[in-house]
Amino acid sequence: MFPQFLAQDADSVARALLGCRIVRILDDEPVDKSIDEHDAGSVTGRADKYTPERIVVRIVETEAYDQLDPASHTFHGKSERNRAMFGPAGHAYIYFTYGMHYCLNVTAATEGFGAGALIRAVEPVEGMEIIERRRGRKGADCVNGPAKLCKALDIDKTLYVHDLRLSPLSLEQAGLRPGERVEVTARIGISKATERQRRFIVAGNPYLSRR
């Protein structure tokens, strides 16, 4: 079920997203570099037999941002880059940073007010072998950061403003597991409004990002 709380303020949304699941369907067939073009053409029915890959992760770390926050991309108003954040809640705001990384945000609040929650870290639920193959590494280091998880889930600007009710990138309602609790801290990697407590984490989760 799609979350019904996304039209609330960014802090409430960022907290409530903890435990929710992201489902990513990868439609592109992986390239087997051991088969050259000539041989690949001779493998009868290879493309017909391919089944899209499915990855499921649960959100364990978020940060809240909105247009009243000097650390937010929306602080100086609407632009072509951040327009998704001013749109309806429940869509993907994806931005490119440091000339090499993508980061995923879930838009929040009411349309016209620039707000959202950055997805900072996730815990794999299904498809860990796909994640590790895509990242070329093992374990938590595959997804314990906003850029890392986007690489693992093949999230880039082609999914900008994507409606998260829909495949191939969708958001599903879920809660915390028994015994889990939420902690609130200052955000990571920002230079403005550093004192604000707008980072939400599943305390003690091994997939949390590193400072």
Side-chain angles (χ1 to χ4, degrees):
M1 184 177 72
F2 189 71
Q4 300 301 305
F5 55 76
L6 298 175
Q8 299 180 52
D9 63 273
D11 293 87
S12 297
V13 169
R15 177 187 286 269
L17 280 171
L18 296 179
C20 289
R21 295 187 175 194
I22 296 171
V23 179
R24 179 72 166 111
I25 305 299
L26 300 173
D27 290 324
D28 294 332
E29 183 173 7
V31 175
D32 186 344
K33 297 184 185 299
S34 67
I35 301 176
D36 63 27
E37 292 181 6
H38 175 76
D39 291 335
S42 67
V43 181
T44 304
R46 181 166 178 257
D48 294 339
K49 295 179 180 179
Y50 175 67
T51 301
E53 295 181 316
R54 172 183 163 98
I55 299 172
V56 181
V57 295
R58 65 190 297 261
I59 299 169
V60 297
E61 180 178 352
T62 60
E63 288 180 350
Y65 293 89
D66 62 49
Q67 67 184 55
L68 305 178
D69 182 348
S72 175
H73 291 175
T74 59
F75 184 64
H76 294 292
K78 186 177 181 180
S79 68
E80 180 59 25
R81 182 196 189 203
N82 68 23
R83 59 187 170 82
M85 290 271 272
F86 289 88
H91 288 65
Y93 167 51
I94 299 164
Y95 64 87
F96 194 54
T97 185
Y98 297 116
M100 64 178 70
H101 300 305
Y102 291 100
C103 295
L104 169 67
N105 297 254
V106 176
T107 59
T110 56
E111 189 168 357
F113 184 81
L118 171 66
I119 309 303
R120 279 203 59 89
V122 296
E123 175 185 347
V125 174
E126 180 183 330
M128 186 62 177
E129 70 286 352
I130 303 169
I131 288 173
E132 291 181 337
R133 184 188 72 224
R134 288 188 52 80
R135 296 287 288 118
R137 61 189 67 190
K138 300 285 186 179
D141 193 45
C142 292
V143 289
N144 63 348
K148 293 178 181 181
L149 71 89
C150 281
K151 289 179 181 177
L153 274 61
D154 193 23
I155 294 172
D156 59 23
K157 290 294 283 289
T158 62
L159 290 164
Y160 188 87
V161 200
H162 175 72
D163 186 341
L164 294 172
R165 295 171 178 81
L166 308 174
S167 186
L169 181 68
S170 56
L171 183 65
E172 295 182 351
Q173 174 72 56
L176 298 179
R177 294 168 178 162
E180 289 185 329
R181 61 184 179 85
V182 176
E183 283 187 3
V184 186
T185 77
R187 292 169 294 189
I188 296 174
I190 59 173
S191 58
K192 298 177 181 178
T194 56
E195 76 289 351
R196 298 191 184 185
Q197 304 286 293
R198 305 194 80 182
R199 173 175 174 252
F200 301 85
I201 64 173
V202 176
N205 188 281
Y207 289 89
L208 297 179
S209 65
R210 300 173 183 174
R211 288 186 176 274

